[in-house]
Amino acid sequence: MAGSPDHLFNLRNNFYLGSYQAAINNSDLPNLSPDDAVERDCLVYRSYIAFGSYQLVINEIDSSAATPLQAVKLLALYLSNPHDKESTISSLKEWLADPAIGNNLILRLIAGIIFTHEEDYNEALKHTNAGGTMELHALNVQIFIKMHRSDYAERQLRVMQQIDEDHTLTQLANAWLNLAVGGSKIQEAYLIFQDFSEKYPMTGLILNGKAVCCMHMGNFDEAETLLLEALNKDTGCKGS
């Protein structure tokens, strides 16, 4: 498959950078393989989840959909009803224990996201630690940062850099780690977000990243300007 075009590159990139509306609007892609079509649908539904449109996702994904889509529906169910998440988590654990689907990459990613929301980081890592996709590696970096283990996060980042140093998620993971480490690394994180803002349309994710860097550097006026702009973008990101 080497050298074949990556039809989903722009869609993935929009999603990673928080351009959820662009991801949704530009998802009508011709000539997708069945696997690519499922991945496309997962990204579109996760974009709707980021907007908080949980019910749309729950209504549109039926029980005959592929495992990755069922996993995305589970995330929508989990986020839509925080007071009744036990049944969702119980279904998730059941699927993860099923040898036929338990190792599905999207299912493992969604498990990582849900258990991270639960602040059950050891359980999250059970499903994400083996990696398999750049998103799983990036989630590992986030989990290790939340556990205050920047040494493990750095190891995971190095794995990502070996796979693709220029990948959007590698750059984002690098910025997150720089922010966590602090000190002189804050400027490096700022430059990564600045680079994104020059290459791509501005999103709440990029603006917030720059604003956090500015606050760390004591540039509160610039941080306030960036945060106000992020509010105006109103990306409504509630989970991805």
Side-chain angles (χ1 to χ4, degrees), residues 72-213:
V72 171
K73 180 175 183 174
L74 214 52
L75 177 61
L77 285 164
Y78 170 81
L79 292 169
S80 70
N81 195 352
H83 305 298
D84 181 32
K85 53 192 182 187
E86 281 71 24
S87 60
T88 308
I89 291 172
S90 154
S91 298
L92 176 62
K93 286 181 172 173
E94 214 173 285
W95 294 2
L96 290 163
D98 182 338
I101 59 169
N103 205 31
N104 180 275
L105 292 169
I106 297 285
L107 179 59
R108 287 204 284 120
L109 178 72
I110 297 300
I113 290 168
I114 288 177
F115 289 122
T116 300
H117 270 281
E118 290 290 296
E119 297 184 5
D120 189 346
Y121 302 128
N122 289 325
E123 187 64 33
L125 285 168
K126 269 189 210 172
H127 308 292
T128 61
N129 210 17
T133 66
M134 291 301 267
E135 263 205 282
L136 281 162
H137 289 305
L139 184 54
N140 284 332
V141 172
Q142 285 184 309
I143 294 168
F144 287 131
I145 289 170
K146 286 176 187 291
M147 295 171 79
H148 306 291
R149 290 305 306 259
S150 54
D151 51 339
Y152 285 140
E154 190 170 346
R155 223 176 283 172
Q156 195 65 220
L157 174 62
R158 279 204 293 272
V159 171
M160 296 178 76
Q161 287 169 332
Q162 282 164 0
I163 297 168
D164 184 354
E165 197 170 5
D166 297 322
H167 196 288
T168 296
L169 286 176
T170 307
Q171 295 296 314
L172 277 173
N174 199 355
W176 299 329
L177 182 58
N178 285 337
L179 278 169
V181 172
S184 60
K185 292 286 186 184
I186 299 295
Q187 181 66 30
E188 289 177 37
Y190 182 84
L191 291 173
I192 292 171
F193 288 117
Q194 181 60 31
D195 187 47
F196 281 143
S197 67
E198 288 166 9
K199 275 192 201 162
Y200 303 108
M202 199 64 92
T203 65
L205 183 147
I206 295 170
L207 288 161
N208 283 324
K210 284 175 77 174
V212 172
C213 295

